[in-house]
Amino acid sequence: MSHASAARPVVGLATCRAVPDLSEDDRLLPPALAVHGLAAEPVVWDDPAAAWDRYAAVVIRSCWDYHLDVDRFDAWTRHLEARGISTWNPPDVLRWNARKTYLRELESAGVPAVPTRYPSGTASQDLDDILEDAGWTEAVVKPVVSASARETWRAGLGRAEDGARFRRLVARIPLMVQPYLPEIEREGEWSFCFFGGAYSHAVLKRPRAGDFRVQADHGGAYHGRAAPPSLVDQAAAALAAARRRTVYARVDGCVVDGVLRLMELELLEPGLFLAMDPAAPDRFARAIAGATASARGQE
């Protein structure tokens, strides 16, 4: 099998049909990669005409529809793996991270995470029973495979409409239930970005008034922040506990009583807020170039 062999190897930046030319933030990456000797072009991950063998590496970026058919996405990553195409993050990391049950593994490794219950998955499951057993009066319910807060809502003990919605969904897809954290509305949610395992920059995300969802699609606002070193250290420890090789990573958490509670460890297709730090695109490009050169040297 032959990869791109030109003087400037080509990196495919995998995206989805909704943003075929990359997100606005990710458009900062190709010029940074050029500085490190790599050409780059967007390619839609499920485009049947895509010629994957021409790429020296494929970097998963805005594949924001993977959760709509995660089995097909898994099959695609296995295809890249079988072809020997360097993929960042590696395919086994992508598949592990696609299902939020990875939080159980990290919590078992000692990472302070938001407590999570995973219902067994039948229509007879009762949300109130879960909340009462956990001692929660309010909770956030979300799919185990989800993105952009799809099918995610704030539920309360004794609310019939929440119970009915929960029963409908849990009979169809795996769900997870977590306590509602008022700190998100008061203080916001932190995102710590890492490239090649090294900390790069942080962003504080705040929901719009009256909401808990911090995504921009739901009115959330993002602010670049100099994160306290203690929080950076906690985020780095959460990433290290995963024991996975990563070229990029985003650690999302909320500070509760001075402790960073892990909400998600994003290793698949996170927004990396490259525009929030002028040096971030170069740090990301350097990590990609280093990993790709290392992989090509092993061929």
Side-chain angles (χ1 to χ4, degrees):
M1 185 199 71
S2 63
H3 291 307
S5 57
R8 281 164 51 105
V10 181
V11 171
L13 303 178
T15 184
C16 63
R17 296 173 190 271
V19 283
D21 296 319
L22 301 177
S23 67
E24 183 177 352
D25 199 56
D26 280 339
R27 288 177 202 145
L28 298 172
L29 188 53
L33 285 167
V35 173
H36 291 275
L38 295 172
E41 62 185 39
V43 55
V44 174
W45 74 270
D46 59 351
D47 181 355
W52 299 106
D53 284 353
R54 72 182 297 266
Y55 297 117
V58 174
V59 183
I60 311 304
R61 291 311 310 128
S62 42
C63 299
W64 294 336
D65 56 356
Y66 82 93
H67 61 291
L68 301 178
D69 193 343
V70 70
D71 290 337
R72 188 159 66 101
F73 185 82
D74 285 350
W76 173 66
T77 66
R78 292 185 191 282
H79 171 73
L80 297 181
E81 198 170 29
R83 298 293 299 169
I85 299 167
S86 298
T87 306
W88 317 120
N89 284 323
D92 63 316
V93 173
L94 302 176
R95 293 191 292 269
W96 176 79
N97 196 237
R99 294 157 181 84
K100 292 180 176 56
T101 46
Y102 67 76
L103 289 169
R104 282 191 295 213
E105 183 177 325
L106 295 178
E107 193 168 20
S108 295
V111 175
V114 177
T116 305
R117 299 294 178 94
Y118 299 91
S120 60
T122 66
S124 62
Q125 283 276 290
D126 189 274
L127 180 59
D128 279 353
D129 287 346
I130 294 171
L131 298 187
E132 287 177 350
D133 182 66
W136 306 332
T137 57
E138 287 194 291
V140 173
V141 183
K142 65 179 75 170
V144 166
V145 178
S146 68
S148 302
R150 179 175 178 266
E151 294 288 10
T152 297
W153 83 99
R154 180 176 170 179
L157 184 64
R159 295 180 195 162
E161 63 274 20
D162 289 335
R165 181 178 182 180
F166 175 83
R167 287 191 296 274
R168 286 195 304 270
L169 274 178
V170 79
R172 185 164 54 87
I173 57 175
L175 295 180
M176 53 196 290
V177 183
Q178 298 176 318
Y180 167 73
L181 300 178
E183 288 84 358
I184 291 179
E185 285 192 67
R186 293 198 304 260
E187 309 295 337
E189 175 187 318
W190 284 94
S191 284
F192 302 87
C193 298
F194 292 78
F195 299 128
Y199 172 66
S200 172
H201 60 287
V203 169
L204 186 61
K205 303 178 292 187
R206 296 183 183 275
R208 68 180 180 183
D211 205 337
F212 70 96
R213 296 168 298 182
V214 297
Q215 292 83 1
D217 291 348
H218 300 289
Y222 307 150
H223 309 277
R225 288 287 187 271
S230 63
L231 296 185
V232 175
D233 289 345
Q234 291 176 66
L239 176 57
R243 299 183 180 276
R244 298 297 198 280
R245 182 189 181 194
T246 62
V247 170
Y248 59 86
R250 198 181 86 197
V251 180
D252 291 349
C254 182
V255 179
V256 180
D257 296 328
V259 175
L260 182 69
R261 289 280 173 181
L262 180 68
M263 301 183 71
E264 293 193 30
L265 178 62
E266 297 269 15
L267 308 181
L268 203 164
E269 40 64 85
L272 292 168
F273 309 109
L274 298 179
M276 293 289 183
D277 184 326
D282 182 72
R283 293 188 195 112
F284 191 14
R286 193 183 316 123
I288 293 168
T292 300
S294 177
R296 285 166 64 84
Q298 294 171 7
E299 292 178 358

